[in-house]
């Protein structure tokens, strides 16, 4: 029997797990636990590329671990760990910094978005963020990386770095990772702006639905979500040019495990006054069991730390040989 594929993906433990993360990434993580050897990690080393209050970060790490487990990530079936507890990530990142090119990083749109007009004032870490991401993936010889659409470019960079390293040093060390994009909702957009993705770091909490939001908060956010005055069409193609409408239909479809066409078949001809309450109810009902479990887990930080510790132990073991070979290839 051939070895199962290695699957890896991470999430920053900053802010709350939101519907975009859940539908775009975590739902697939949960499914993939049966498809390969899964490594899921809290990207706490990525988190410190911007300032975070340390006490808040510490609390957020546990909150995110709780949210992932509540959403279905099972520490008995997948290796769930914190990047900062596996020093090989930072070490390999440094080794790869010698291979990554400034010209490649200059093309990364996420850095442009996140640094905005204040490029000179952005941290080196924010700029080198995709190199750490390459290390995260390459360390485990992962071939399958489930990510949202927004991370595709970083994955391509990881492939470029891996290929150049292998060529420059004449080794067949790094496997080339494939992004696994798609899933229920590859790109959930902000509730305030159909052109911007739903994001943990959006300053407006109204822009996203957090897994920790209670039913009233979810309903209020959906009620106030930006829309247009037109009724819903019967064909998804007619949502072109209506990004907010498309987004809400996409969210409904992903939550209901239906196609957008099937959702439109139900609501065609109706306005948002009818659709929004239906969407709110579906969202609340889908998130309810997750939120209940999340609240229970969050009350036991010791258990969360124990589970993360076990995951880190396994991750360190699996990462060690590849890191050792990278040092060796470089002549170190
Ligand atoms: P930040 O704003 O801090 O970057 P984020 O909301 O983008 O936060 P990440 O931790 O960067 O979240 O990403 C975690 C995972 O969720 C990644 O796989 C990413 O592709 C996915 N993801 C993030 N936002 C969305 C979204 N709006 N729709 C679908 N997937 C998303
Ligand atoms: Mg992001």
């Amino acid at each position: 029997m051939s070895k199962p594929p290695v699957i890896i993906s991470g999430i920053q433990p900053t802010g709350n797990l939101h519907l975009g993360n859940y539908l775009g990434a975590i739902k697939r993580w949960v499914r993939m636990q049966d498809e390969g050897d899964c490594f899921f990690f809290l990207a706490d080393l990525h988190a410190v590329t911007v300032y975070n209050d340390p006490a808040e970060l510490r609390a957020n790490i546990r909150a995110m671990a709780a949210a992932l487990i509540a959403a279905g990530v099972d520490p008995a079936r997948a290796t769930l760990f914190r990047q900062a507890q596996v020093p090989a990530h930072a070490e390999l990142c440094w080794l790869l910094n010698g291979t990554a090119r400034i010209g490649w990083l200059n093309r990364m749109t996420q850095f442009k978005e996140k640094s905005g007009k204040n490029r000179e004032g952005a941290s080196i870490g924010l700029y080198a963020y995709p190199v750490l991401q390459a290390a995260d993936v390459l360390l485990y010889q992962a071939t399958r990386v489930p990510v949202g659409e927004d991370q595709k470019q970083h994955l391509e960079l990881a492939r470029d770095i891996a290929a150049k390293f292998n060529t420059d040093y004449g080794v067949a060390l790094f496997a080339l990772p494939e992004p696994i994009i798609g899933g229920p909702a590859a790109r959930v957009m902000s509730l305030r702006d159909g052109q911007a993705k739903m994001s943990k770091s959006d300053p407006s909490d109204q822009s996203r639905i957090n897994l920790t939001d209670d039913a009233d908060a979810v309903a209020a956010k959906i009620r106030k979500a930006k829309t247009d005055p037109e009724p819903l069409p019967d064909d998804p193609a007619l949502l072109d040019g209506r990004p907010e409408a498309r987004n809400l239909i996409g969210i409904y479809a992903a939550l209901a495990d239906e196609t957008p066409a099937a959702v439109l078949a139900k609501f065609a001809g109706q306005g948002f006054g009818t659709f929004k309450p239906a969407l709110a109810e579906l969202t609340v009902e889908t998130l309810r069991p997750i939120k209940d479990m999340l609240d229970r887990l969050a009350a036991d930080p010791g258990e969360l730390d124990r589970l993360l510790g076990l995951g880190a132990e396994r991750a360190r073991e699996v990462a060690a040989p590849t890191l050792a070979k990278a040092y060796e290839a470089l002549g170190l």
Side-chain angles (χ1 to χ4, degrees), residues 299-324:
D300 194 353
E303 175 62 5
L304 289 168
D305 289 350
R306 188 186 71 84
L307 292 170
L308 290 171
L310 289 175
E313 222 169 276
R314 163 131 206 272
R316 283 194 297 267
E317 264 165 39
V318 176
T322 299
L323 179 66

Side-chain angles (χ1 to χ4, degrees), residues 11-25:
I11 183 159
Q12 287 202 55
T14 43
N16 286 310
L17 196 65
H18 57 74
L19 202 59
N21 302 139
Y22 176 64
L23 295 175

Side-chain angles (χ1 to χ4, degrees), residues 9-12 14 18 20-21 23-26 29 110 114 129 146-151 185-189 197-202:
S9 203
I11 183 159
Q12 287 202 55
T14 43
H18 57 74
N21 302 139
L23 295 175
I26 313 307
W29 291 12
Q110 178 174 294
K114 289 200 170 180
Y129 188 110
V147 285
E149 183 72 42
D150 61 316
Q151 293 302 318
R187 200 166 165 81
V188 176
M189 308 311 279
K197 82 171 190 82
M198 189 178 283
S199 163
K200 285 191 246 101
S201 51
D202 191 317

Side-chain angles (χ1 to χ4, degrees), residues 120-259:
E120 297 287 310
S123 75
I124 300 287
L126 196 65
Y127 185 69
Y129 188 110
V131 185
L132 178 57
Q133 229 179 318
D136 299 338
V137 169
L138 300 179
L139 261 185
Y140 299 91
Q141 304 288 341
T143 49
R144 304 179 64 190
V145 187
V147 285
E149 183 72 42
D150 61 316
Q151 293 302 318
K152 190 165 174 239
Q153 195 184 32
H154 287 174
L155 247 290
E156 276 157 13
L157 182 86
R159 289 172 64 93
D160 289 344
I161 293 174
K164 181 167 166 58
F165 188 102
N166 286 346
T167 309
D168 286 357
Y169 298 101
V171 289
L173 177 53
F174 295 124
L176 298 193
E178 287 289 345
I180 311 288
I181 297 172
R187 200 166 165 81
V188 176
M189 308 311 279
S190 156
L191 298 179
R192 314 289 292 181
D193 174 0
Q195 317 275 0
K197 82 171 190 82
M198 189 178 283
S199 163
K200 285 191 246 101
S201 51
D202 191 317
S204 164
D205 194 58
Q206 295 297 316
S207 69
R208 65 183 158 262
I209 291 169
N210 303 305
L211 264 56
T212 46
D213 286 344
D214 62 24
D216 290 345
V218 170
K221 285 177 179 179
I222 292 177
R223 194 168 55 242
K224 284 188 226 142
K226 187 176 167 196
T227 43
D228 56 48
E230 303 298 317
L232 286 163
D234 55 5
D235 176 359
L238 298 172
L239 292 172
D240 283 353
R242 298 176 65 185
E244 284 84 15
R246 178 199 295 282
N247 186 41
L248 295 186
I249 294 293
I251 292 175
Y252 191 107
L255 286 168
D257 282 319
E258 286 173 4
T259 61

